[in-house]
């Protein structure tokens, strides 16, 4: 069974995240979207809201599940019996950052990281950009899945 963990904070999930997950579905038997919890980070959306946004976005996709976790992603992967970590790459800076993490994870646990390039139409979107647009009352709707559009925080 090819099982992948797709980790992130998803504050909030964006169309870029959704694109990577949708394109990962044919590659894996199961994708576990894992919302990481970092007590030192201040989030715009609560953990429950972030989880609900993702569950609603993928409610019709039986190969996708959503969990929350604390700690190392490789420990979660072992616990979930996942063979892969799925990550999206938007630009060269993402690649350099993710490459270092992937090498470290493989050294510590032998897990493989699978990278998918974001679609050109979503490569500029990041959660931090969405949060900034939301904070300033801008039109964020074209950057996020429908589930996020039902409620905005300012």
């Amino acid at each position: 069974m090819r099982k992948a963990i797709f980790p992130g904070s998803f504050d909030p999930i964006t169309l870029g995240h959704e694109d990577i997950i949708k394109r990962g579905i044919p590659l894996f038997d199961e994708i576990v979207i894992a919302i990481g919890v970092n007590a030192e980070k201040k989030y715009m959306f609560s953990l429950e809201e972030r989880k609900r946004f993702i569950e609603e976005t993928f409610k019709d996709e039986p190969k996708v599940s959503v969990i929350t976790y604390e700690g190392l992603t490789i420990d979660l992967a072992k616990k979930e019996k996942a063979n892969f970590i799925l990550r999206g790459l938007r630009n060269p800076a993402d690649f350099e950052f993710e490459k270092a993490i992937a090498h470290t994870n493989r050294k510590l646990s032998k897990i493989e990281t699978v990278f998918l390039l974001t679609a050109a139409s979503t490569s500029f979107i990041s959660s931090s950009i969405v949060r900034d647009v939301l904070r300033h009352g801008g039109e964020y709707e074209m950057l996020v899945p429908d589930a996020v559009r039902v409620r905005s925080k300012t």
Side-chain angles (χ1 to χ4, degrees):
M1 178 176 208
R2 293 178 322 261
K3 185 174 183 179
I5 301 286
F6 186 56
S9 59
F10 305 103
D11 187 31
I13 185 172
T14 69
L15 292 180
H17 295 127
E18 181 184 34
D19 171 64
I20 294 297
I21 296 161
K22 283 183 173 178
R23 288 192 295 120
I25 288 170
L27 304 175
F28 301 103
D29 299 307
E30 184 179 349
I31 297 176
V32 178
I33 302 171
I35 305 170
V37 177
N38 181 344
E40 297 182 17
K41 190 171 178 184
K42 184 163 172 30
Y43 297 103
M44 177 175 271
F45 294 95
S46 72
L47 184 61
E48 295 75 25
E49 287 172 309
R50 291 180 280 147
K51 190 169 190 249
R52 187 171 33 84
F53 292 155
I54 299 168
E55 287 172 340
E56 178 65 24
T57 300
F58 292 99
K59 67 178 183 263
D60 296 325
E61 184 46 66
K63 291 170 78 174
V64 173
S65 60
V66 185
I67 63 171
T68 62
Y69 78 105
E70 293 184 52
L72 295 175
T73 303
I74 57 171
D75 292 339
L76 176 68
K78 287 176 195 170
K79 178 182 168 203
E80 291 290 321
K81 296 179 174 56
N83 347 52
F84 302 96
I85 295 172
L86 175 63
R87 298 297 294 159
L89 299 174
R90 294 173 298 186
N91 54 48
D94 279 357
F95 173 74
E96 290 301 326
F97 178 74
E98 294 290 346
K99 179 179 78 168
I101 294 171
H103 284 311
T104 303
N105 287 342
R106 191 173 341 121
K107 182 81 168 172
L108 296 175
S109 72
K110 308 292 186 240
I111 194 162
E112 288 293 340
T113 301
V114 175
F115 297 110
L116 293 180
L117 299 177
T118 56
S121 61
T122 62
S123 64
F124 65 95
I125 303 171
S126 70
S127 293
S128 57
I129 288 173
V130 172
R131 290 191 306 271
D132 197 44
V133 171
L134 276 164
R135 268 195 283 285
H136 292 93
E139 294 183 29
Y140 67 96
E141 294 85 0
M142 74 281 297
L143 306 173
V144 297
D146 288 341
V148 181
R149 296 176 191 169
V150 297
R151 181 178 178 283
S152 64
K153 261 192 168 166
T154 51

